[in-house]
Amino acid sequence: MGRRDERCIADGNELLRFNCSTFTCDLGLNGSSSICNQQYCSICGIIKSGFSPKMDGISTLSTSWRAHMAIPEDVEEEFKFMNVKRAMLVCRVVAGRVGSEGEEIDKEDDGFDSVIGRGGGSGAYTKLDEEELLVFNPRAVLPCFVIVYTV
C-alpha cells in the first residue's frame, strides 16, 4: 500500500485561511503563471516547495484584509529596488489540535498542532473565524490559490 499524503487527510477541522507574502518575479504579469527560481521570491518558493519547516509556525489569517495588514504597509516602497510586490495565498489548513495563546505551547511538543494568537482564549473553534492561527506543521498548510494585487 502506498504512502498516504498527510495534507490530503481532512480530520474535520480543515479551514480556508489567508497568508500574504511577497514576490519579485513577473508572476501574474500579462497572465504569466510561470514559477521562478529567484532566491527572494517568497510566493514562488512556497508554491514550489511549500512553507519552510524552519519557521516557528505559519501565520494564517481569517480574512484577506488581516493577512494584508500582517505585512508592513510600506514594503513595496522600501524594497522597490528589488521590484517587490504582494500576493495573497488562499490555503487549505488542517488545524489539528488547537491551543490558545495563553497556554504553554511548544512547537516541538506533541500537545498542539496549531495555536490561536492575538487573545484567542476559550472557545477556540469559534475564535478560528476571527483570529490568527499559527500552524506548526508546514504540511498542514496547502496553498490553493494565488491572488496577485496592487495596493
Side-chain angles (χ1 to χ4, degrees):
M1 190 152 160
R3 190 180 131 253
R4 295 169 66 183
D5 188 358
E6 292 175 20
R7 293 186 300 181
C8 295
I9 302 169
D11 67 355
N13 62 349
E14 184 177 298
L15 309 161
L16 280 181
R17 305 288 290 189
F18 296 92
N19 177 282
C20 187
S21 193
T22 57
F23 67 106
T24 57
C25 67
D26 291 333
L27 183 67
L29 187 65
N30 298 321
S32 171
S33 59
S34 298
I35 305 300
C36 77
N37 291 316
Q38 295 179 37
Q39 180 179 0
Y40 297 108
C41 193
S42 297
I43 290 292
C44 289
I46 292 168
I47 293 169
K48 196 171 13 179
S49 306
F51 288 91
S52 172
K54 296 176 184 175
M55 298 170 61
D56 286 335
I58 297 134
S59 174
T60 65
L61 293 121
S62 57
T63 67
S64 57
W65 177 248
R66 287 182 189 265
H68 170 79
M69 295 304 293
I71 292 183
E73 200 174 302
D74 59 352
V75 72
E76 292 90 353
E77 189 62 37
E78 189 173 334
F79 294 100
K80 193 174 197 167
F81 69 97
M82 291 177 62
N83 196 28
V84 167
K85 301 166 287 274
R86 291 179 198 235
M88 188 69 59
L89 292 169
V90 181
C91 304
R92 286 176 44 199
V93 176
V94 177
R97 295 163 302 209
V98 181
S100 62
E101 194 174 47
E103 299 177 59
E104 190 69 29
I105 308 259
D106 181 3
K107 176 183 172 186
E108 304 301 321
D109 183 16
D110 288 336
F112 297 105
D113 301 305
S114 57
V115 62
I116 294 175
R118 299 191 187 139
S122 63
Y125 291 101
T126 58
K127 291 283 189 182
L128 282 177
D129 291 336
E130 304 167 11
E131 304 293 341
E132 173 185 34
L133 180 68
L134 193 63
V135 182
F136 298 131
N137 183 349
R139 294 179 52 84
V141 183
L142 177 65
C144 294
F145 304 99
V146 178
I147 302 166
V148 175
Y149 66 102
T150 57
V151 183

